[in-house]
Amino acid sequence: MKIRPSFHRFLAGLLVYVGLSLQAAAQTATWNGTGSGLWTETAKWSWTGTVPGTALPDAATSIILSNGGTISLKDSTQSILGLTMNNGRLEVTKESTAGILGVGGAIIFSSNAGTSSSILVDGLGSELNKTGTTQLHLGSSGTATMTVSNQGKVTSSGTIHVGLGNSAGVGTGILNVNTQGQLITTSTFILGYRGNGSMNVESGGFVKSPNGFIAGYGQDANRVQGTAAVKVSGTGSKWEVGILYVGHTGTGSMTVEDNGVVAGSSTAAIGFYNAGNATGATGPPPLTKYGTGTVTVKTSGQWQSTAVSIGTTGGTGTLNVASQGRVNVNGGTGTITVGSTGVMNIGGNPLLDAAPLAPGIVFAGAISGGGFFGTALNLYHSDFSGGYHLTKSGLSNGEHVALTSTLNLNVLSGSTTLIGANSLSGAITVGGLAETPARLVARHSQALGTGQITVKENGTLEIAPTLSMALMGTLSLEGGGALSLKVNPAGGEFAPRLNLSGWLDALVDEGEKITLYLSGGSAIENPELYDWTFLTAQQGIYADVTHLFEVVSDVPGFYVFQREDSLVLGMTSLVPEPGRLFLCGLGLSCLVLRRRRGGI
């Protein structure tokens, strides 16, 4: 059967009429109560457009609260079209039964600069449900605070902006989720888009989102940079998130502490730049527009992700893992990549913390350098006992965390042991901080990679007694630095403890020495004939270093001399000297502090 054109015209006209009728039926309700009042008090609503038969806002109504009053919704379920709040408070709570508010359109809290709004969703069964694809803005141009507590719940199927901000970067959003409160969104979740956004998940609060953009999205023509801070703290507190950006285009931070958990099911980037073209923009922004991100995992907090990149795309990134904080990368098989504008600190941050902190745990397959310069892993921790190992458990029986590529390793404080092979080609620096001893122990022949190793003042490079040979690239020794070895009682020149593919150099000021700590000397039976090549440099020795060594041992009589491209240990006596025996024991446990030059 054919439908005549006239019927098409009738049908089109009918649809237009219905659409216009629905649009005309939409209405606005403005709260006129200056104090606190119940949602169900009809006299406190002023109307524009059609008034529903109940004289209360319905699913076709957009409501406005801007006079500083408080709307209390409890013991009732209500549905509205949209919500705009400036200078007011909305409470969705429970008295005898829970309050439930459904919103099918946009929600904007503090859309005007200088305004202040607060929202409370509190109590078991109390809910604010945002449906549809329109957005929820918390702090559009003013300041807005949302608290979800005591098993209250907020859901959204549209994008959530916490600290949306305006074109001038003004606007603050604060989201507090605590005491088993929940916030669940199935869309984009952004904190500090152009303004300032913060989220605190505490005391068993729960947040779930398919993604997380902390500080900026960077898609505006003027590239206004937002700022944002996230804290997940306390037992039972958790943020389940997919792909995560910390410092996407603005400046963002995330702290996970006190048994709080951030459980990521995808990759994470710290310090990022979105290179996509912005609306109205002509080309990429200048370097000052790149994101800056900091993640701190401490005091038994846990952060999970499938892979972590730090400062790999031009943004500046920092990851701090301290005080038994735990970073879990793909169940212990994933990689943390530190880019040319990134840094990772185990323990404290040497640029910000006055003293080292206890180390954290890196449950990852590898830490890799992803840049040609500036890539750094800093060990600035307070475990001087020798118990901390760079393993997936932090213990000696843990599985090795590999160090690879262009990574630069700075051992600035504490004692750290490497138990496996590392392929890093970057530099290793041990020591260099005033009044702060640092020790790096190699327990595998290939633990030290192929780059340059520099032992500075207050630093000790130790070759574990169980290791017969350590391979390395170039070794540079500075005044106040130390080597620690166990002697070969049989002597000889075919199995030196230190085998350099590069060269040996020394930089020592007048009056300074390089300490050589030796153990196992009491096993030598013929001291007058003893001759042991303990270091060989295949590309030569670039300084006369023999007179620079001060030998501290469990027995006296050792001396160092140079033979071609090797350093050799000789011995002249077996008579113990108690004073030197004490110094040796002290040196092997912690580098003796002497005059400091200071600085990293």
Side-chain angles (χ1 to χ4, degrees):
M1 180 179 67
K2 294 184 179 180
I3 300 177
R4 291 177 296 177
S6 58
F7 181 79
H8 283 291
R9 289 193 294 269
F10 168 78
L11 182 59
L14 178 61
L15 292 174
V16 170
Y17 171 79
V18 171
L20 291 174
S21 298
L22 290 174
Q23 183 177 357
Q27 59 267 340
T28 300
T30 302
W31 183 258
N32 58 38
T34 56
S36 179
L38 295 175
W39 182 290
T40 52
E41 294 181 72
T42 57
K44 293 189 176 181
W45 294 105
S46 297
W47 294 88
T48 300
T50 304
V51 180
T54 60
L56 290 175
D58 61 9
T61 304
S62 294
I63 71 169
I64 297 174
L65 172 61
S66 33
N67 65 350
T70 297
I71 305 175
S72 180
L73 173 59
K74 53 188 175 182
D75 303 332
S76 177
T77 298
Q78 302 290 333
S79 296
I80 60 174
L81 177 62
L83 170 60
T84 300
M85 181 187 297
N86 289 295
N87 290 327
R89 178 176 173 83
L90 172 64
E91 297 178 348
V92 182
T93 61
K94 176 181 181 179
E95 192 167 287
S96 58
T97 59
I100 299 175
L101 177 61
V103 184
I107 299 177
I108 304 175
F109 295 118
S110 291
S111 59
N112 297 334
T115 61
S116 178
S117 304
S118 63
I119 307 92
L120 173 65
V121 182
D122 182 270
L124 178 62
S126 298
E127 295 186 17
L128 171 61
N129 300 319
K130 164 72 183 67
T131 58
T133 59
T134 52
Q135 299 178 352
L136 188 161
H137 297 162
L138 186 66
S140 180
S141 292
T143 299
T145 302
M146 175 183 285
T147 300
V148 189
S149 54
N150 294 316
Q151 302 183 70
K153 186 176 182 179
V154 173
T155 64
S156 177
S157 57
T159 295
I160 296 179
H161 288 112
V162 180
L164 173 68
N166 55 29
S167 59
V170 177
T172 298
I174 302 168
L175 174 62
N176 301 312
V177 185
N178 54 53
T179 53
Q180 286 75 54
Q182 298 183 45
L183 183 141
I184 300 173
T185 178
T186 56
S187 187
T188 305
F189 186 47
I190 305 175
L191 298 103
Y193 182 90
R194 291 179 302 236
N196 178 267
S198 63
M199 178 172 73
N200 302 299
V201 184
E202 300 172 301
S203 304
F206 177 75
V207 174
K208 183 175 182 178
S209 62
N211 49 58
F213 296 86
I214 301 177
Y217 197 62
Q219 291 298 92
D220 295 277
N222 56 3
R223 297 281 186 168
V224 173
Q225 292 176 286
T227 58
V230 169
K231 182 173 71 173
V232 181
S233 175
T235 301
S237 302
K238 188 175 186 179
W239 181 16
E240 289 186 3
V241 63
I243 190 168
L244 177 64
Y245 299 91
V246 183
H248 184 273
T249 307
T251 300
S253 66
M254 181 175 75
T255 300
V256 190
E257 61 184 4
D258 299 336
N259 295 301
V261 175
V262 173
S265 59
S266 185
T267 60
I270 307 173
F272 190 75
Y273 165 63
N274 180 6
N277 290 327
T279 303
T282 55
L287 290 176
T288 55
K289 296 295 185 180
Y290 282 63
T292 299
T294 302
V295 173
T296 300
V297 186
K298 62 181 182 179
T299 53
S300 300
Q302 298 185 44
W303 178 33
Q304 303 167 17
S305 185
T306 60
V308 176
S309 61
I310 310 169
T312 60
T313 59
T316 301
T318 303
L319 172 60
N320 305 307
V321 190
S323 305
Q324 294 299 305
R326 185 182 182 94
V327 175
N328 182 323
V329 187
N330 203 36
T333 64
T335 298
I336 299 173
T337 303
V338 186
S340 57
T341 51
V343 63
M344 179 176 174
N345 301 306
I346 296 180
N349 185 328
L351 299 179
L352 299 177
D353 295 314
L357 301 177
I361 298 171
V362 182
F363 192 70
I367 304 172
S368 177
F372 296 104
F373 60 92
T375 298
L377 168 62
N378 295 323
L379 299 173
Y380 184 61
H381 64 78
S382 58
D383 187 342
F384 298 97
S385 68
Y388 181 73
H389 292 63
L390 193 52
T391 65
K392 296 178 185 180
S393 65
L395 304 175
S396 60
N397 59 354
E399 187 177 349
H400 176 60
V401 178
L403 306 178
T404 68
S405 191
T406 56
L407 188 71
N408 294 321
L409 176 63
N410 299 313
V411 184
L412 304 173
S413 177
S415 179
T416 301
T417 299
L418 306 178
I419 69 169
N422 294 303
S423 59
L424 73 163
S425 57
I428 295 178
T429 302
V430 185
L433 293 184
E435 306 297 330
T436 306
R439 176 182 295 268
L440 181 64
V441 181
R443 222 179 72 187
H444 190 282
S445 62
Q446 297 177 328
L448 300 173
T450 60
Q452 177 169 328
I453 301 173
T454 302
V455 182
K456 294 177 173 286
E457 187 176 23
N458 298 323
T460 299
L461 175 62
E462 178 177 329
I463 307 305
T466 56
L467 186 60
S468 61
M469 179 187 298
L471 304 176
M472 61 185 73
T474 298
L475 177 61
S476 179
L477 301 173
E478 297 188 6
L483 294 175
S484 179
L485 305 170
K486 181 179 180 181
V487 302
N488 182 347
E493 59 179 339
F494 300 107
R497 298 298 301 280
L498 302 175
N499 193 334
L500 280 60
S501 61
W503 60 86
L504 173 68
D505 200 357
L507 179 63
V508 179
D509 293 337
E510 185 177 354
E512 292 184 326
K513 290 289 186 178
I514 300 164
T515 304
L516 178 62
Y517 293 113
L518 297 175
S519 63
S522 59
I524 298 173
E525 297 181 357
N526 299 303
E528 293 80 6
L529 302 176
Y530 187 73
D531 183 287
W532 177 45
T533 301
F534 69 90
L535 182 149
T536 296
Q538 296 180 22
Q539 296 184 26
I541 298 176
Y542 283 15
D544 181 9
V545 298
T546 57
H547 68 286
L548 301 178
F549 281 97
E550 177 185 8
V551 180
V552 178
S553 175
D554 49 3
V555 294
F558 284 108
Y559 62 93
V560 175
F561 64 95
Q562 182 175 338
R563 180 188 294 146
E564 296 180 344
D565 295 333
S566 300
L567 291 182
V568 182
L569 192 69
M571 190 177 183
T572 60
S573 173
L574 274 176
V575 181
E577 292 182 11
R580 294 184 64 82
L581 179 62
F582 169 76
L583 285 176
C584 180
L586 180 62
L588 290 173
S589 61
C590 181
L591 178 64
V592 178
L593 297 178
R594 59 187 72 206
R595 181 175 63 84
R596 315 298 177 203
R597 290 180 300 195
I600 296 178

